[in-house]
Amino acid sequence: MATEVLQGIDFTLAPETFTCLIGPSGCGKTTTLRIILGLDRDFAGTVEQASPPPRMAAVFQEPRLLPWRTVEQNVRLALPPHDRPSSGAPDLDALFAVLGLQDLRARFPAELSLGLARRVALARAFAVMPDILLLDEPFVSLDEHTADRLRALLIALWQERRTTVLMVTHNVREAARLADRLLLMNGRPARLVGDVAVPMARAVRGGETLNRFLATLTREHPETVLA
């Protein structure tokens, strides 16, 4: 029997913006991402793209690295064939430097912590120079210190490369710290119940300024923010 998971999901992503899709676990956020990526095709509706189609990359909840490949090999495998130098000469130095992976290029995934493996997943996604980057709770299950470092690295890469980002999370504080815009999802089937601009500059998204914004968001959308 068919189950309706999503209903009336309709939004547009402006170029070079950072949007977070937030809502309680199991409400259909990942399904929405998979539809955009073309991984789920059994749905009624359309995903409209610019012409020519944008280059997309994704980072999932698990790093999904090939265990028999090194860090550098895992990143290079994501590149189009013409971007893979036959000589093996490094062309990813700046990316590895930002993510702190310079000394780990020859390591294998089994030698990495989860936090380092997720850095490699970010490097692999940014290496293809995507027009659109889709992130599915990339920092879930990390301790807060490690997650904070990766959030800062993500923002640094995004500000440098200016791709369009859509990130799925159920962590409202994380979303408010990272995004320009919050799309709030809830219900069964899930609907968009809010579209909220984050009015603060990233430099002041901490302490009482962030707490006041989150308090207002909670009052206006308690079912989504507190679920």
Side-chain angles (χ1 to χ4, degrees), residues 5-6 23-31 137 170 185-190:
V5 178
L6 306 172
S25 296
C27 73
K29 303 185 300 297
T30 295
T31 298
E137 300 198 68
H170 65 271
M185 178 182 284
N186 207 348
R188 295 185 183 276

Side-chain angles (χ1 to χ4, degrees), residues 6-224:
L6 306 172
Q7 187 177 91
I9 303 296
D10 186 4
F11 61 89
T12 300
L13 299 177
E16 300 184 358
T17 56
F18 196 126
T19 302
C20 274
L21 182 62
I22 66 177
S25 296
C27 73
K29 303 185 300 297
T30 295
T31 298
T32 302
L33 229 60
R34 290 177 60 86
I35 289 173
I36 295 171
L37 280 166
L39 299 177
D40 281 349
R41 299 181 180 275
D42 187 14
F43 69 97
T46 59
V47 178
E48 297 182 4
Q49 299 180 348
S51 181
R55 179 181 292 185
M56 291 196 286
V59 178
F60 299 98
Q61 293 182 24
E62 297 301 324
R64 300 189 181 186
L65 305 177
L66 297 179
W68 58 89
R69 300 279 188 174
T70 66
V71 165
E72 181 154 0
Q73 288 168 344
N74 267 283
V75 173
R76 289 193 182 281
L77 282 172
L79 300 177
H82 63 273
D83 289 335
R84 297 179 190 159
S86 58
S87 64
D91 62 348
L92 299 171
D93 292 354
L95 184 58
F96 284 136
V98 171
L99 290 168
L101 297 172
Q102 309 98 307
D103 298 329
L104 303 175
R105 296 163 82 132
R107 296 277 187 93
F108 288 89
E111 301 176 272
L112 305 177
S113 67
L114 179 57
L116 288 174
R118 286 192 168 150
R119 292 190 195 193
V120 178
L122 283 173
R124 182 179 56 193
F126 275 100
V128 303
M129 300 296 290
D131 302 301
I132 299 175
L133 175 62
L134 303 174
L135 303 162
D136 187 6
E137 300 198 68
F139 312 129
V140 70
S141 76
L142 292 174
D143 66 86
E144 192 59 22
H145 176 70
T146 301
D148 257 348
R149 290 186 65 188
L150 286 179
R151 291 175 191 127
L153 290 172
L154 172 60
I155 287 297
L157 282 168
W158 171 72
Q159 289 175 330
E160 176 187 339
R161 306 204 172 199
R162 306 308 299 181
T163 187
T164 302
V165 174
L166 177 63
M167 176 174 159
V168 160
T169 182
H170 65 271
N171 184 330
V172 181
R173 180 173 290 271
E174 174 180 79
R177 289 176 62 186
L178 294 176
D180 303 306
R181 175 190 183 198
L182 308 180
L183 297 176
L184 310 181
M185 178 182 284
N186 207 348
R188 295 185 183 276
R191 301 173 176 84
L192 288 180
V193 296
D195 188 338
V196 180
V198 181
M200 303 165 288
R202 286 184 177 79
V204 297
R205 293 189 192 184
E208 285 306 310
T209 303
L210 181 62
N211 289 338
R212 285 194 296 271
F213 173 76
L214 292 174
T216 300
L217 190 66
T218 301
R219 286 196 304 271
E220 295 177 352
H221 300 278
E223 298 85 0
T224 299

